[in-house]
Amino acid sequence: MSQTNSQAGLLCIGLDVSNPTLAYDVDPGLTTFATPQNAVGLLCAVEETMTLNQTVKAGDEIVLYLGTGNGLLDVGLLSNVSIQTKLSGTDVGPRVALNSPVLNLSLLSGNAIGEVRYTVPGDANQVQIQVGGLLSLLVNLRVYDVRLDFAKPTVTGGLNQTICSGTATTLTATPVAGTTLAWYGSLSSTTALATGNTYTTPNLTANTTYYIGVTRAGGCEGNNRVPVVINVSNPVAPAISSSGTAVCSSGITQQTTLSLINPIPGTTYNWYSVSSGGTILATGNSYSPTVPLGTTSFYVEAVIGSCISPTRAQVDVISNPVPAVATALTQSVTIQSGQNATLSATTSEAGVTLNWYDVPTGGTAIATNTSTFTTPILTATKTYYVETQSATGGCVSASRTAITVNVVSTPAGGCLLANSQQTSLNGLCLLCGSTNPDNSVDGDINTASTFNSACWFSKWMDSTNITV
């Protein structure tokens, strides 16, 4: 690139261009500059015309880096600066003030330097910067650099693309006529990864940006490279909550609800019954299957776009049966106030334990894993409850079996008669039972308790206590 400069106007003093060649020294740090200086006068202007090393085409851009040296760039003052493109001295298009909306102005370096982009309207090999005119408002202008930026290619798939982790992709760009492309791994790299209209990436596992350099002639690359961002999608199998994985079933099947821990927005979750392949059972952050008794496994995969997690997360649902209610062996209890009683119950199911409560539902067990329970000393009638619990899954019976201890305040028949009784059942017995058991301790010889036993190897026991 070369330059010439000139001045125009009447009674103009101090028109000059200081360090004119620094306007195109391609200083990457934008620290050197030429300074066109205008003056107070009539139609005073100073011009610097720079001749490019090649002919640019319509659609290419000339990029100017300008400042005033006074800190914040006053954009309004740019009305006193204009740009004119030429082809070997002949104007190409109209002269344009640098505050014109047809230009693209960006402020850089703390707003002290402005980047002005001018799209060339036709073939040109010169650009002229003029400072001044009817009103010479801007005394000093700094021209840090004048560069070329060639028309950008069209990138197939856009400048922001997504691929699956561990895969490669082929990037394709269509250049503007008369330009060639090179692909780079960074903005400043001097060694191209590839030249031409395509570039195949290696297998990627992290987001990566590639850059396209555009050259029109003479191996001279344009001012800015075009970034192409490759987003790597890496869906991972989700974490699954333990809630709903232990089920107590009152029948042969039971419904439960499974859910994910911290599902990721934008990710789709598919539920399966197998670790690979198979048919999708449900899609979403939760799933409510109906499972049989025993262990049933489910699997969840994560999907982002066309990318699928390499593995599926497994969750096992264990369904245990609800045990049958306990059978009370202590059928009826009557005690004197100030006494206690021993209660007993049983279950026919293996591995099932008995827990005792003093409330029909909820509450805290007063005895656990025992078939008998001895009450504290009682002074009033009280009902106790026994519940069955399975050894696995902690499933409990649907209801608790009640056993009432009747407390009498005075001996019913005097000090020489039995005053309390307790009935219980042992062995295998059909239609065994007692009728009016308290009549045996009521002190009245005209009333009686009745005990029935209908099978062999059975024994009905009535325990009475006499207080003397």
Side-chain angles (χ1 to χ4, degrees), residues 24 119 145 288:
Y24 51 86
T119 302
D145 250 329
S288 298

Side-chain angles (χ1 to χ4, degrees), residues 190-204:
T190 58
T191 303
L193 299 172
T195 57
N197 297 349
T198 62
Y199 169 62
T200 300
T201 72
N203 292 339
L204 300 178

Side-chain angles (χ1 to χ4, degrees), residues 318-400:
I318 301 175
S319 178
N320 291 292
V322 171
V325 297
T327 299
L329 296 179
T330 305
Q331 296 293 306
S332 177
V333 182
T334 300
I335 62 173
Q336 177 70 29
S337 177
Q339 296 180 331
N340 56 18
T342 298
L343 312 179
S344 58
T346 189
T347 176
S348 61
E349 298 178 81
V352 174
T353 59
L354 299 174
N355 302 321
W356 296 82
Y357 295 82
D358 57 5
V359 289
T361 59
T364 301
I366 54 179
T368 59
N369 194 21
T370 177
S371 60
T372 62
F373 168 64
T374 300
T375 72
I377 292 174
L378 300 177
T379 58
T381 298
K382 186 173 180 60
T383 301
Y384 292 93
Y385 304 86
V386 60
E387 176 182 84
T388 54
Q389 180 178 5
S390 61
T392 58
C395 299
V396 298
S397 54
S399 62
R400 295 171 181 171

Side-chain angles (χ1 to χ4, degrees), residues 155-156 161-172 183-185 193-194 197-212 228-232:
V155 179
T156 302
Q161 303 182 26
T162 300
I163 65 172
C164 300
S165 180
T167 63
T169 186
T170 297
L171 302 175
T172 302
W183 302 80
Y184 297 89
L193 299 172
N197 297 349
T198 62
Y199 169 62
T200 300
T201 72
N203 292 339
L204 300 178
T205 57
N207 296 345
T208 305
T209 301
Y210 294 98
Y211 300 87
I212 306 173
V228 181
V229 178
I230 307 301
N231 300 296
V232 175

Side-chain angles (χ1 to χ4, degrees), residues 8-15 37-46 80 131-139:
L10 299 175
L11 302 176
C12 300
I13 300 173
L15 294 177
Q37 295 175 315
N38 64 348
V40 177
L42 182 60
L43 299 175
C44 295
V46 61
N80 208 36
V131 178
L134 182 60
L135 295 175
S136 300
L137 300 176
L138 188 61
V139 177

Side-chain angles (χ1 to χ4, degrees), residues 269-294:
Y269 297 97
N270 296 326
W271 299 77
Y272 295 84
S273 61
V274 290
S275 60
S276 63
T279 302
I280 296 176
L281 301 175
T283 296
N285 297 339
S286 62
Y287 173 45
S288 298
T290 297
V291 296
L293 294 173

